[in-house]
Amino acid sequence: MMIQTKKWLVLGVSMTLVAGLLAGCGGKSTPNASEGTETASNANQPHKGKKLTVYLGNLPLGNTLKTMIPEFEKETGMKVEFQSFAEDQLSQKLSIQLTTQASVPDVFMLRPPQEAKLFAKNGWVYPLDELARQDADYDFGDFSESATQANVVDDKLIGIPVLLDQTVVYYRKDLLEKAGIAVPKTLDELEEAIKTLHDPKKEVYGFVARGQRSALVTMVAPFLFSEGADFMQGDKATVNTPEAIKGFGRYANWLKNYGPPGVLNMAFPQAWGIFAQGKAAFFIEFSSSYTNGTDKEKSVVADDIGYAVFPTGAAGSKPVSASTWALSINANAADKDAAWQFIKWATSKKMVGTLQKEGNPGVRDSVWNDPESTSAFPAELVEVTLENSKIGIGHDRPQVISVGEAREIIGDIVVKAMLGEDIQAAADKANKDFQALIDKEKLK
């Protein structure tokens, strides 16, 4: 066998030498096998050798994505340099880079509900309409329609959504079963169930949710929507309408009368802590953080959590179904097509399905209808997600440039109501201040 192998090696070397001599002769030569392979490789890897810089948010989705980069590099021949930042650090870093019209990063994550208008107004993002919508293989129509809305500014698509966030009612199945209470379908039914299960002497509170002024705005949003209200209509502030007052008031009363001590200081981590410790019967929060309840190292009620669609109000059930993170291309990136290849890969059906198996809720409808891609999620939560995708609203906060300032203004309505102040007066003041903010932005 060894002798035969050596013969083949000698023959192979000889043939290579002959081919080399022939190639060295004058005149045109036919490409040899290796040249043909190289040509094919170039066709499949038009950006081979290029380098991309990508800024990611420091969240599970970004961390999972990083581990899969070698696959992208092998597929395209490009190199990717990642930098990860906490949310606020990422915003600050991007503001500095993009204000100076730097070409780096090529691709970055942004929070569409919070930053889309600002980034679009400043010309920091490259429109993706042509790239995304005209590629039949990419199938942009597969993306959740509501979750895509926050990524469209002035009719231009400025980001591809990568993470789905929806309003979910988390509840204690064991408490409801013991009390003989059916899962509430309306807000009135939910209020009665909260009252019934509220038992502070046993350290079980009827309801918990975000109580911090700014943080609560995204959770009170479906209360407004389901009563027929919104934060604004066109360029008019509408946070003091009767419908809005009803939504704000219900949320504030539930927290005030049936919430745990200190709820005014709670953002989502603290509120999740209360629910995961078994100290609340109902909890309203986004779906993407569900593992805080199912992780048995963090939660004592992991086996007792139920999931429900937001109950109906006077205008129906209108939960939030939005994309809280997206991938965008820097308007000054040197090679937009190379940058798009990364986004296209990261948001392909295959990758969204793969990321979702790791617990990152995707924005493509097809992955939610694929049992394999939903295997990491509780079956009830999958059902709620599918329903929310049909009826959900694509924003969870006012759609202005100065979102942070607007949230402070609007959140103050709930805070004042919880403190016992007149909610109508608080809403009238907030509406006046919010309108001034809107008018100021129109002059910029």
Side-chain angles (χ1 to χ4, degrees), residues 125-369:
V125 282
Y126 182 73
L128 301 176
D129 301 83
E130 186 173 342
L131 292 168
R133 299 184 193 280
Q134 296 183 5
D135 187 338
D137 292 336
Y138 183 58
D139 192 10
F140 187 67
D142 186 37
F143 284 80
S144 165
E145 186 176 350
S146 64
T148 304
Q149 290 174 9
N151 292 275
V152 178
V153 181
D154 296 334
D155 297 325
K156 292 179 181 177
L157 181 67
I158 57 96
I160 302 296
V162 292
L163 191 68
L164 184 65
D165 256 326
Q166 297 182 332
T167 312
V168 171
V169 177
Y170 299 89
Y171 65 91
R172 288 276 302 280
K173 289 192 291 188
D174 56 328
L175 295 181
L176 268 67
E177 288 172 5
K178 186 177 179 181
I181 298 173
V183 178
K185 300 293 185 184
T186 69
L187 286 167
D188 289 339
E189 289 176 0
L190 177 53
E191 186 163 323
E192 287 302 314
I194 288 171
K195 287 180 184 176
T196 301
L197 296 177
H198 182 61
D199 191 354
K201 291 182 179 177
K202 294 182 178 178
E203 286 195 281
V204 176
Y205 302 92
F207 177 67
V208 68
R210 304 180 189 190
Q212 278 188 1
R213 180 181 285 102
S214 176
L216 68 82
V217 171
T218 54
M219 287 305 113
V220 78
F223 286 78
L224 269 66
F225 302 155
S226 297
E227 298 295 351
D230 205 331
F231 302 111
M232 56 196 295
Q233 294 290 334
D235 58 1
K236 297 295 182 185
T238 56
V239 295
N240 66 341
T241 64
E243 295 81 7
I245 296 291
K246 189 174 181 180
F248 286 126
R250 193 190 295 268
Y251 187 86
N253 288 335
W254 288 4
L255 287 182
K256 177 185 175 184
N257 297 322
Y258 312 110
V263 70
L264 263 173
N265 297 315
M266 291 183 185
F268 92 90
Q270 295 80 21
W272 253 121
I274 293 292
F275 187 71
Q277 291 167 24
K279 295 184 177 180
F282 291 95
F283 174 42
I284 290 181
E285 188 47 69
F286 281 139
S287 55
S288 62
S289 58
Y290 78 96
T291 54
N292 286 282
T294 57
D295 184 344
K296 293 186 177 181
E297 293 186 1
K298 301 178 182 176
S299 172
V300 301
V301 294
D303 294 328
D304 294 317
I305 297 177
Y307 309 84
V309 174
F310 193 81
T312 58
S317 171
K318 297 187 182 298
V320 169
S321 179
S323 161
T324 46
W325 286 95
L327 282 170
S328 295
I329 294 177
N330 180 355
N332 291 299
D335 191 328
K336 310 292 193 305
D337 189 63
W340 169 247
Q341 296 311 310
F342 177 80
I343 294 181
K344 182 179 178 181
W345 168 80
T347 58
S348 64
K349 289 182 181 179
K350 177 184 175 183
M351 275 298 296
V352 173
T354 301
L355 292 166
Q356 184 156 294
K357 290 176 193 172
E358 299 295 323
N360 303 293
V363 186
R364 283 186 175 272
D365 291 337
S366 59
V367 299
W368 286 103
N369 287 294

Side-chain angles (χ1 to χ4, degrees), residues 25-177:
C25 295
K28 295 182 179 178
S29 62
T30 302
N32 61 25
S34 62
E35 287 173 332
T37 303
E38 183 70 22
T39 301
S41 176
N42 288 338
N44 294 327
Q45 298 181 317
H47 301 291
K48 182 178 181 180
K50 294 179 180 176
K51 176 186 168 186
L52 292 175
T53 300
V54 178
Y55 285 3
L56 294 177
N58 191 13
L59 61 159
L61 173 70
N63 295 334
T64 307
L65 198 57
K66 279 191 288 188
T67 66
M68 308 185 75
I69 287 306
E71 182 180 321
F72 173 75
E73 292 179 329
K74 182 179 179 181
E75 187 177 310
T76 63
M78 287 192 272
K79 292 292 181 185
V80 178
E81 178 183 305
F82 270 108
Q83 294 187 37
S84 296
F85 304 90
E87 287 186 27
D88 290 342
Q89 291 175 328
L90 177 60
S91 294
Q92 293 170 5
K93 182 72 173 177
L94 285 173
S95 295
I96 295 170
Q97 292 291 103
L98 301 177
T99 298
T100 59
Q101 298 187 328
S103 60
V104 173
D106 301 280
V107 176
F108 54 86
M109 290 182 73
L110 88 164
R111 298 171 291 174
Q114 189 78 9
E115 302 167 327
K117 284 217 166 190
L118 174 67
F119 279 47
K121 177 178 174 55
N122 289 335
W124 292 345
V125 282
Y126 182 73
L128 301 176
D129 301 83
E130 186 173 342
L131 292 168
R133 299 184 193 280
Q134 296 183 5
D135 187 338
D137 292 336
Y138 183 58
D139 192 10
F140 187 67
D142 186 37
F143 284 80
S144 165
E145 186 176 350
S146 64
T148 304
Q149 290 174 9
N151 292 275
V152 178
V153 181
D154 296 334
D155 297 325
K156 292 179 181 177
L157 181 67
I158 57 96
I160 302 296
V162 292
L163 191 68
L164 184 65
D165 256 326
Q166 297 182 332
T167 312
V168 171
V169 177
Y170 299 89
Y171 65 91
R172 288 276 302 280
K173 289 192 291 188
D174 56 328
L175 295 181
L176 268 67
E177 288 172 5

